Amino acid sequence: MTDQPDIPPEEALRALTWLTEMGADEAVGDEPVNQFEVNETARAEDLQPEPAEAAPPQHPPISPAPAAARALTSPDDAVSDARKLAQSCQSLEEIVAALDRFDGCPLKRTATNLCFADGNPAARVLVIGEAPGRDEDRLGKPFVGRSGQLLDKMLAAIGLSRNDPDPQKAVYITNVIYWRPPGNRKPTEAETLMCMPFVNRTIELMAPQFIVCAGATPTQRLLGRTEGILRLRGRWFTLQRADRETPLLATLHPAYLLRQPAQKRLAWRDLLDLKTKLLQAGAGNS
Ligand code: URA
């Protein structure tokens, strides 16, 4: 360990807060580190037999990055592997296990955790976003950062919550991408195509009464449309998957609303529309 200058804790906290606000999302040392090599080494260590008196593992994350550092398959093979794996899943838990085994998506190499879903899987409403950000990557759950907090408030305004045990008042939340794109860049079409079989299987297994797509990416990818979100939002579409049709509402992404608060009135209209549809459909009437 190198000698550290003596910084009062409040000052260190202020500096850390400033760095985070400026966009820093990783602590790095004085020397550059090739994280791919670190992951390869960690993976090789993973494959060693356990020492006789190994210390018990401490709270392993759902999907540590080293598991992702295997050879990558071509995008076409990755999609076909994803389809086979997803179709074999008979429960949401099996989807999580399949995603842990699936090495086709290059985003897994740089992500910290798999970020699959959060909320009540028996909910009437499934909310689908784009991709995990820094906070989601750290915690392995979708929509837990600033946009997630806004999403929670928006849903609460119409009586819905990811934490409600009552399926009538609950939501289940997922994304069309399960690993954080580096630097929060927009996921590529290939990356979305690799995750899509798992998204489709999630919809089939969960069988929600309504789907809400937050933002352009999930709306365009699920519906195969190309219009921008300002044209798509506020409209109900029918999503056909397997032998089931599900009403799908496109709305604005909460991250966009944080940047453009004046547009919250449009999102509010969409939410009221969802509430009306939920009331019309009635409890348990799927
Ligand atoms: N934005 C998303 O689309 N999904 C998340 O999980 C977080 C932010």
Side-chain angles (χ1 to χ4, degrees):
M1 236 201 33
T2 53
D3 281 346
Q4 299 295 326
D6 234 354
I7 305 176
E10 318 77 61
E11 206 175 301
L13 182 61
R14 260 202 309 279
L16 183 62
T17 308
W18 181 81
L19 284 167
T20 315
E21 281 167 2
M22 290 298 109
D25 61 1
E26 262 192 87
V28 293
D30 294 338
E31 297 296 324
V33 175
N34 182 339
Q35 294 294 340
F36 289 115
E37 275 172 15
V38 171
N39 286 347
E40 293 293 351
T41 313
R43 172 82 192 130
E45 281 165 3
D46 269 3
L47 297 174
Q48 299 297 319
E50 290 271 304
E53 291 200 10
Q58 293 181 349
H59 310 296
I62 301 173
S63 172
R70 292 173 209 154
L72 293 176
T73 28
S74 77
D76 284 352
D77 287 350
V79 174
S80 118
D81 283 357
R83 283 207 190 109
K84 277 186 226 140
L85 265 175
Q87 270 317 312
S88 72
C89 295
Q90 299 307 320
S91 66
L92 298 176
E93 291 74 23
E94 284 184 23
I95 295 187
V96 177
L99 285 168
D100 258 337
R101 292 201 304 280
F102 177 60
D103 278 334
C105 183
L107 294 175
K108 200 174 184 182
R109 287 168 69 95
T110 46
T112 308
N113 281 308
L114 164 66
C115 181
F116 174 60
D118 193 25
N120 183 342
R124 295 169 79 191
V125 178
L126 172 63
V127 177
I128 307 182
E130 182 176 292
R134 182 193 53 184
D135 296 316
E136 290 76 20
D137 182 48
R138 198 164 43 86
L139 298 176
K141 280 186 188 179
F143 282 106
V144 291
R146 277 185 72 217
S147 51
Q149 286 158 18
L150 177 57
L151 177 67
D152 284 341
K153 279 193 200 149
M154 289 160 63
L155 293 168
I158 56 162
L160 297 176
S161 160
R162 68 172 96 191
N163 297 318
D164 206 308
D166 177 357
Q168 304 303 323
K169 301 182 197 148
V171 291
Y172 195 55
I173 301 177
T174 190
N175 285 311
V176 286
I177 291 281
Y178 300 116
W179 297 276
R180 181 195 186 196
N184 290 352
R185 66 160 169 74
K186 198 174 161 63
T188 64
E189 186 171 359
E191 288 158 356
T192 321
L193 287 175
M194 290 166 196
C195 293
M196 203 45 92
F198 298 102
V199 179
N200 288 332
R201 192 68 186 139
T202 301
I203 294 170
E204 281 168 25
L205 290 170
M206 195 209 149
Q209 204 173 351
F210 296 101
I211 293 175
V212 176
C213 280
T217 304
T219 311
Q220 292 170 341
R221 297 290 195 252
L222 278 164
L223 297 174
R225 307 202 53 133
T226 52
E227 302 100 307
I229 192 63
L230 289 174
R231 286 192 184 278
L232 294 168
R233 68 138 285 277
R235 289 164 63 186
W236 285 95
F237 299 89
T238 301
L239 184 77
Q240 175 87 48
R241 287 294 181 272
D243 54 359
R244 205 183 154 84
E245 290 187 342
T246 312
L248 181 154
L249 174 67
T251 191
L252 300 172
H253 193 286
Y256 170 79
L257 298 175
L258 287 170
R259 293 193 305 271
Q260 304 281 340
Q263 301 287 56
K264 283 184 186 170
R265 67 196 165 84
L266 296 178
W268 178 233
R269 263 192 235 158
D270 301 344
L271 287 167
L272 288 179
D273 204 11
L274 171 65
K275 188 177 179 187
T276 306
K277 281 274 193 303
L278 282 164
L279 288 172
Q280 281 167 353
N285 180 12
S286 57

